[in-house]
Every structure is written in structure tokens, then in C-alpha cells.
Amino acid sequence: GWLLRAHAHACHTEVVERGARIAIVGSFDVPNFGDLLFPLIAERELDDRMGRPELVRYGLSDVKSDSWPFEVRSVDRLAEELRNSDLLIVGGGDLVRFDSQRVASAQRSTIDFPRLWLLPTLLAAERKVPVTWNAVGVPWRPARRHRAALRAALGAVDYLAVRDARSAALLRRALPSATHVVTPDTAFGVARLLAGLPPDRARMPPRPYVVIQASPRLRRWRGALKAVLEAARREGLDLVEVSVSPALGDRPGAVLRSAPAAWRTGPFAPVEMCQLIAGARAVVGVSLHLSIVAAVHGVPVFRPTGGRAAKYAIVEQLEQVHSWGLTSALRSRRLRLPPVQAPGGLTPETRGDLARHWDAIARMALQRGARGGSPG
């Protein structure tokens, strides 16, 4: 808020001239919608608070901006480049895990998760660079053999934010003394990312439409999916199939054999995807961040239940989200699509939690810069 802006204005002149340099690490070289949103939202929020700091993105691979939404540097560079950073941001997403995951169509075929959160956190602590975890998730309980490493990482984090209560509970089991904050997934702030950006009408469907995620996982829900598609046809809506997450198997034609329109781009374009979702009459999919972006803009969401996965509880409680249960999914016959509501429907509590989260992160970088940065 205004106190943070006053603090920024009061910082030493040399800090303003040099500018803060912030490193952010995550799976930003992987074609997955949510992962690509995190650094874009971070950049927008920190720009507003700090006057355009330099945000350097790190993933598992080097990727040039001419073939990707932004430049990504290999995390292998962190050991040297952190010396010039005022802050390390880790995440978001379900990063705090000790396994590797095979992904499709990525710069690498495997995501080695500890290289994206554990090693950067410990490295920053060694370099005496402040560390924040950016509303990360802990998808399952760490094995006993991993607890010492997790405790070491938690002890090195200066500002620890997780995105759900279950993640917080799992971290408390590892280190009860760790101070944490439960913060909404930062994608709930997507409307601020899109503010002032006019959609490219030449790339938008010319008629009202429903967005369908091109995920093979939707096939299990044929009855419920059919009910939504029939409702869309009764309203004269086009069906637009989108590959929200090629890394997790999304591909054109996975759900619809033919559709009036298909969203295909060269480089994976998260901002354009957000605009497409925000302009839809309804969306159907399994993606958490597809659901969040739609719900924030008042667009009805139809999705399978997330079961025991804590991260999906975030969206399943929202008014605009309609979850398909195992038994109820096949009972929808003459479905009518709910109306689109006014965008920006965040509760004051969610909006305040997000503002405090980014205020805290900006304050850390500004304080670090005011002290002159790393002794390097």
C-alpha cells in the first residue's frame, strides 16, 4: 500500500539508480499454463511496488525469448548469478517435492523438482540472499529420509508462503517452529496482469464460444462433458479446444474430433490464453489455473472433482465452479449454462491477502537493496 510506496521512495538514491535485481525460479521452461503465469504476475505486482525491478527467470533449461514468452536461464547459473541479486523468489506451484516427473513436449523430458526449490533455497542462504517461497504447494507428505533436507530449507526461508492449509500442515510436521503464511494462489491476481491490455480481436473467435481444455483426462467424464457441449450447442456457441498444458498431455483433438475453432499458437502464449479464457461464455477442463482465470473473470467453470488433491479445493468452493462428482456427473441432461458474472469477483479477504503477500516480497527486496546488496 501507500506505506510500502513511501518506503520505496525513501530508499537511497543509488538503489533507485541501480534498480533491484530479483531472481525467480520455477518450472518456467515447461509448456504449462499456470507455471508460465507465475513470473508474469510477479513482474506486474513488483513493477507496481518497486518501479520496474529486473526480474530474472530461472528454470531447468536455457530458453530464448524469441521462442518463448520470456527468457529463461538454467538454474545451473544461480551459483554465480545470485551474488548480484537482492532476493530469490521460489515458485509458485506444487514445487516442494522430492520426485521427478516426466512431461511431454518440454525443453526437458523430466522435471527434477528438488533442483527448482531445495537447491536454490539453500544456495541463496549460503550467499546470504533473502529467500521467499511464493505461495507454493506441497502435494504430498515428504518421506522420512527427506525430512532433514526439508528442515534445512525451511530454516533458510525468510518469508514462507504456501497456497493451502494442507501444505502448511505438512511443513509444520517437518519444522514446527517455521513461521508460514497461507496465501491464495497468485493466479487469483490475474486480472491485474490483464488490466490495460486490449485483446487481439484478430486472434479471438468471432462468435461467442465455450473453451474446452484439450486434455485426455476429460474423456473419463463423457456423460457430463456431453451435457455441457449440448447446452453450448443449444445456445449457438462455438467450441474452442485449447491446449492449456501440453506438458501434461494436452493436444488438439484429444476431446473434440472437430470444432469450429482451435486455439493454436507458436510460442506458448499465457497472456493470450488468459484473454481467451476471460472472454468465454464457459470453460470446461481439469486445469487448476484454467479454472482460476475463468472464475476470476466471472466465467462459469465445469470440471471434474479434484478428489483429495488439496490444490483443487481452492477453486471447488467458488460460486462459478461446478464440479463433477463420480456419481452426479452423469445425471445432468438438460443443462443450462449459468450466466457470466462481472469480472474481478475476488473477495476483499483474497484481494487483501494477495496485496499483503506482494507487499512483503517487495519490502524484502527494497530493504536488501537499501543496504547495498550482496557483498559478492
Side-chain angles (χ1 to χ4, degrees):
W2 66 270
L3 283 174
L4 183 62
R5 290 191 292 273
H7 172 79
H9 182 72
C11 284
H12 298 306
T13 302
E14 71 237 26
V15 178
V16 176
E17 291 176 350
R18 175 176 71 84
R21 189 175 193 269
I22 299 173
I24 183 169
V25 61
S27 46
F28 306 144
D29 55 332
V30 174
N32 186 45
F33 180 50
D35 289 312
L36 298 185
L37 280 181
F38 295 134
L40 295 174
I41 289 173
E43 184 174 46
R44 174 58 189 264
E45 295 289 348
L46 295 175
D47 279 357
D48 287 350
R49 289 164 170 80
M50 301 176 62
R52 301 190 65 80
E54 181 186 3
L55 190 72
V56 185
R57 305 164 182 87
Y58 293 88
L60 290 175
S61 305
D62 286 314
V63 185
K64 297 298 183 183
S65 58
D66 57 359
S67 61
W68 204 245
F70 39 70
E71 181 179 340
V72 181
R73 302 188 187 199
S74 169
V75 72
D76 296 338
R77 300 188 185 195
L78 268 177
E80 179 61 30
E81 295 181 357
L82 264 179
R83 297 180 185 277
N84 301 317
S85 299
D86 296 304
L87 179 68
L88 173 68
I89 300 176
V90 176
D94 275 346
L95 281 186
V96 183
R97 46 199 286 189
F98 287 87
D99 62 315
S100 297
Q101 181 182 14
R102 298 281 295 179
V103 295
S105 303
Q107 301 295 324
R108 295 190 178 210
S109 60
T110 301
I111 302 175
D112 184 13
F113 285 101
R115 291 184 62 209
L116 294 175
W117 68 274
L118 177 60
L119 296 180
T121 297
L122 297 178
L123 185 61
E126 181 189 12
R127 298 285 191 270
K128 301 188 186 316
V129 175
V131 185
T132 178
W133 283 7
N134 182 29
V136 296
V138 187
W140 46 73
R141 182 188 300 182
R144 184 180 298 274
R145 66 183 183 276
H146 295 141
R147 290 178 188 170
L150 179 57
R151 284 194 294 269
L154 290 173
V157 178
D158 298 275
Y159 170 65
L160 172 60
V162 294
R163 67 180 179 185
D164 57 76
R166 183 174 183 272
S167 294
L170 291 174
L171 295 183
R172 278 198 303 270
R173 292 174 66 95
L175 187 65
S177 62
T179 301
H180 69 274
V181 175
V182 177
T183 298
D185 188 294
T186 58
F188 279 101
V190 68
R192 285 172 51 79
L193 174 65
L194 300 186
L197 296 177
D200 185 351
R201 296 297 179 188
R203 303 182 68 187
M204 300 287 282
R207 289 161 30 94
Y209 58 93
V210 172
V211 166
I212 312 292
Q213 182 180 353
S215 171
R217 289 180 288 171
L218 281 176
R219 293 173 183 165
R220 179 183 178 189
W221 309 88
R222 288 186 179 90
L225 178 61
K226 181 180 179 181
V228 176
L229 298 185
E230 288 179 348
R233 291 188 181 103
R234 284 195 295 271
E235 292 194 23
L237 304 174
D238 282 347
L239 305 178
V240 181
E241 189 179 55
V242 300
S243 295
V244 175
S245 180
L248 300 179
D250 284 14
R251 53 182 174 79
V255 177
L256 304 177
R257 294 183 179 179
S258 62
W263 188 248
R264 297 185 179 92
T265 64
F268 197 86
V271 171
E272 288 82 355
M273 187 74 77
C274 286
Q275 292 176 326
L276 182 77
I277 294 166
R281 175 67 179 80
V283 304
V284 183
V286 298
S287 163
L288 172 65
H289 293 98
L290 168 73
S291 302
I292 289 175
V293 173
V296 165
H297 289 90
V299 178
V301 179
F302 295 89
R303 54 170 294 112
T305 180
R308 293 183 295 175
K311 67 178 184 178
Y312 294 116
I314 300 170
V315 296
E316 288 176 354
Q317 60 186 336
L318 300 177
E319 180 183 354
Q320 287 297 91
V321 177
H322 308 270
S323 298
W324 299 330
L326 287 172
T327 56
S328 63
L330 303 181
R331 297 178 183 173
S332 300
R333 287 294 178 251
R334 294 289 296 181
L335 177 70
R336 298 185 64 182
L337 299 181
V340 174
Q341 297 182 2
L346 296 183
T347 66
E349 180 182 13
T350 298
R351 191 178 294 108
D353 287 344
L354 287 172
R356 285 186 288 272
H357 173 72
W358 291 114
D359 285 352
I361 292 176
R363 188 178 298 113
M364 290 175 65
L366 287 167
Q367 290 171 348
R368 168 75 169 181
R371 292 195 300 267
S374 171

